[in-house]
Amino acid sequence: MSTVFKGSFTQQEPIPEAGIEAALRVMRGGRLHRYNVADGEVAETALLEEEFAAFTGAKYALAVASGGYAIGCALRALGVQPGDKVLTNGFTLAPVPGAIAAVNAEPVFVEVTEDLTIDLDHLARLVAETEAKVLLLSHMRGHICDMELLMQICDGAGVQVVEDCAHTMGGAWKGVPSGRHGAMAAYSTQTYKHMNSGEGGILTSDNPDLMARAIMLSGSYMLYARHRAAPPPEAFEQVKWVTPNVSGRMDNLRAAILRPQLADLPRQIDRWNALYRAVEDGLRNTPGLKVIDRPAEESIVGSSIQFLLPAFSTEQIAEVLKRCAARGVDLKWFGGAEPVAFTSRYDSWRYASPQSLPNTDRILSGLMDMRLPLTFSLEDARLIAGIIAEEVRSTALSA
Ligand SMILES: *Cc1c(COP(=O)(O)O)cnc(C)c1O
């Protein structure tokens, strides 16, 4: 009998006890709205923003309703107009092009490389060929490209960069935290990301004008002075008259749950990376399977792992998926003809104009993806990698 994995790929850890206690305190006080504070009280949301700004090194931070909201808010703050072209990754998740569509702008997709990062040659070409003035850069599945080169391309052409850090909260490029290169950065605190408040997002920036606009957009009314990781009141003088309220605040309950998780994040990152390296080691040297080598410049948060089966046919990949599933290993495939669960592709987003990305098609057709929740032990990680390696081997042999 071959071994079967019995764990759940979607089971996260419980909220830390300190977070549960803080949430109870907020609920007992009844002051869940971020601007509802007692005399002398500082809202949990304002404290979270202050602590998150310190964590990333950003001057300003704003807590909002979701990661997708944070991205949309950044595009609005940058003044993206209906019909504008916005560059973004061909390989990302649906909320990214969705945020572009939500401001009636047009996504222009950039190819992915075999390292699963944005193709900088293709980006440079599109920057030259289109009038796009914004790149919404998705660090999809935590893979960070050469950020210095990317910023050179974009700065050189006056293209503003918004970083989607949904998968890189706590990651870095050459020691610079992910999110610290572009004009603004969006993070998600949705259940499947690196901190869990069910839903939630955080936006960061060093630019006082952009952040003042973002705070007004999020629905601050004229209470922006209650923010602690915000630009000074002068930054709002003009902005407050011309910025619509597109309500999307975070509440104190979520912030209370998140603050202890933020304090714990460095330790959690080490645990994720230990799981990641255990799976990576177990997959290495499997014939037909290509591990994605991570550059030395990149500090990762290994909350998921990807690998390629470049020479496998569609039928063989379906066979690997079926065999692994039968042994309890839940792999996702980015090459399927139909979008499944969270997995969709640039050609599934048919509200965008049709675009052809041959390299992305080829790479995604062999791309496998797997979550690594912290409820897994190192033993689980080794068992899972062993199952995948065995099933890839036997599928290759039976072909
Ligand atoms: C989850 C996710 C988002 C959006 O986050 P939500 O909080 O779910 O809105 C954006 N980009 C990527 C790549 C994501 O995985």
Side-chain angles (χ1 to χ4, degrees), residues 65-71 91-97 138-142 164-167 186-193 198-201 342:
S66 74
Y69 182 89
I71 296 172
F91 172 49
T92 185
L93 286 183
V96 176
S138 181
H139 301 296
M140 179 61 174
R141 289 297 187 254
D164 164 23
C165 301
H167 302 166
Y187 303 79
S188 170
T189 62
Q190 188 237 77
T191 292
Y192 298 113
K193 312 296 162 92
E199 304 287 356
F342 291 104

Side-chain angles (χ1 to χ4, degrees), residues 68-353:
Y69 182 89
I71 296 172
C73 188
L75 297 178
R76 286 191 171 91
L78 281 164
V80 173
Q81 296 298 312
D84 283 0
K85 290 188 168 18
V86 175
L87 297 159
T88 195
N89 307 56
F91 172 49
T92 185
L93 286 183
V96 176
I100 297 171
V103 294
N104 290 313
E106 290 180 26
V108 176
F109 297 114
V110 187
E111 295 262 31
V112 71
T113 67
E114 293 216 348
D115 300 325
L116 302 189
T117 55
I118 194 165
D119 180 336
L120 294 177
D121 294 330
H122 190 220
L123 174 67
R125 228 176 315 134
L126 287 173
V127 162
E129 284 170 9
T130 67
E131 290 94 64
K133 284 291 164 250
V134 174
L135 166 66
L136 172 50
L137 172 68
S138 181
H139 301 296
M140 179 61 174
R141 289 297 187 254
H143 297 271
I144 304 178
C145 71
D146 182 334
M147 287 304 295
E148 289 169 3
L149 200 48
L150 177 130
M151 290 311 299
Q152 227 175 315
I153 294 168
C154 291
D155 286 344
V159 170
Q160 304 244 49
V161 179
V162 175
E163 292 183 70
D164 164 23
C165 301
H167 302 166
T168 53
M169 184 189 282
W173 180 260
K174 285 194 181 172
V176 178
S178 186
R180 300 295 299 130
H181 294 89
M184 302 194 98
Y187 303 79
S188 170
T189 62
Q190 188 237 77
T191 292
Y192 298 113
K193 312 296 162 92
H194 299 165
M195 300 197 290
N196 176 10
S197 58
E199 304 287 356
I202 302 173
L203 188 59
T204 61
S205 182
D206 283 356
N207 182 311
D209 182 60
L210 290 178
M211 189 48 85
R213 286 173 199 276
I215 290 171
M216 291 306 298
L217 283 162
S218 76
S220 65
Y221 302 93
M222 297 300 153
L223 301 168
Y224 46 78
R226 300 222 188 136
H227 289 238
R228 294 161 73 95
E234 305 87 83
F236 293 82
E237 264 327 302
Q238 299 305 315
V239 163
K240 71 181 177 192
W241 300 105
V242 294
T243 310
N245 177 329
V246 185
S247 208
R249 294 172 300 274
M250 184 182 280
D251 56 274
N252 287 331
L253 188 54
R254 282 170 204 197
I257 290 172
L258 289 170
R259 291 181 59 217
Q261 294 181 57
L262 179 58
D264 222 17
L265 191 53
R267 193 179 65 89
Q268 301 292 72
I269 290 171
D270 289 344
R271 293 175 62 211
W272 261 309
N273 291 347
L275 291 177
Y276 183 97
R277 296 302 179 191
V279 174
E280 188 183 47
D281 286 347
L283 294 180
R284 244 181 232 294
N285 306 320
T286 305
L289 185 153
K290 187 171 175 291
V291 164
I292 314 287
D293 284 312
R294 309 301 294 258
E297 294 89 342
E298 189 189 27
S299 310
I300 72 165
V301 184
S303 58
S304 71
I305 190 163
Q306 294 70 43
F307 60 89
L308 294 164
L309 300 173
F312 276 43
S313 67
T314 301
E315 293 72 28
Q316 283 177 305
I317 287 179
E319 183 67 20
V320 171
L321 287 171
K322 199 176 81 185
R323 287 170 179 237
C324 287
R327 295 179 67 182
V329 174
D330 186 10
L331 292 176
K332 293 181 172 49
W333 179 35
F334 275 91
E338 296 280 332
V340 180
F342 291 104
T343 313
S344 62
R345 236 181 14 206
Y346 75 93
D347 53 353
S348 332
W349 308 318
R350 294 185 192 167
Y351 51 82
S353 65

